[in-house]
Amino acid sequence: MSESSVGAWVVDPAGSSATFASKTFWGLTTVRGTFGGLAGAGTVAGDGTVSGELVIDAAQLSTKNKVRDQHLRSADFFNVDKFPAVVVRIASTTRDGDTVTGAGTIEAGGQTQPITFTGRVAESDGAVTLTAGATVDHRALGMTWNRLGMLAGTAKGSVTARFVRG
């Protein structure tokens, strides 16, 4: 980030989104979905260190299949009655041009695990947009339902987070 990026930033919900994809039916089909809103904030320190938190609304997830969506919201997966959000905490990032890599944690369904991600950063019109993706082992988050071995052990998540001055 440039020197002018130092300071506090907040997520612009209108310019932000979160999606997921997971293999099912023994890898023959990919289920794709979207999460509800995205909120959060980040800070860029004078030394270029970036930290922040993204709060993703899991209670409003949609795969365009009502029965499947209810199951994903249940205690078998996200357990949104108790844990309505997926929280990603960013502890460190490294930037090389417009490419960024980062590490932190992801919390979903009441469980937390380390996460790493890669993505791209774009600065435009006083905003910074991070488009990043990560692979998550849902079993490590306590999401172990897997009738007849239908589900792959990982899911891919993608976030586009547009940040504006806080």
Side-chain angles (χ1 to χ4, degrees):
M1 300 232 170
S2 65
E3 190 173 305
S4 64
S5 300
V6 173
W9 296 83
V10 295
V11 171
D12 170 12
S16 303
S17 62
T19 63
F20 62 92
S22 182
K23 294 279 188 185
T24 187
F25 292 108
W26 305 281
L28 300 174
T29 303
T30 300
V31 171
R32 298 179 193 287
T34 59
F35 287 104
L38 184 67
T43 303
V44 179
D47 65 359
T49 305
V50 176
S51 61
E53 179 177 276
L54 297 175
V55 180
I56 303 164
D57 183 357
Q60 298 300 315
L61 72 81
S62 174
T63 63
K64 299 182 180 179
N65 179 305
K66 188 175 181 176
V67 173
R68 178 174 48 223
D69 294 349
Q70 288 174 338
H71 189 207
L72 289 172
R73 290 185 198 112
S74 78
D76 285 340
F77 291 97
F78 289 96
N79 198 8
V80 299
D81 287 340
K82 290 184 181 179
F83 308 101
V86 174
V87 180
V88 178
R89 290 181 180 87
I90 302 165
S92 65
T93 61
T94 303
R95 185 170 176 188
D96 182 10
D98 64 352
T99 301
V100 65
T101 57
T105 59
I106 183 168
E107 180 181 326
Q111 302 290 319
T112 302
Q113 76 173 52
I115 190 171
T116 59
F117 64 89
T118 58
R120 296 225 176 267
V121 174
E123 298 178 55
S124 174
D125 299 323
V128 176
T129 302
L130 169 66
T131 303
T135 299
V136 177
D137 183 345
H138 57 80
R139 296 167 299 195
L141 291 168
M143 300 179 194
T144 58
W145 183 93
N146 194 3
R147 183 170 287 157
L148 302 174
M150 290 173 51
L151 299 178
T154 60
K156 293 182 180 182
S158 299
V159 169
T160 297
R162 181 175 189 269
F163 291 88
V164 294
R165 285 286 177 188

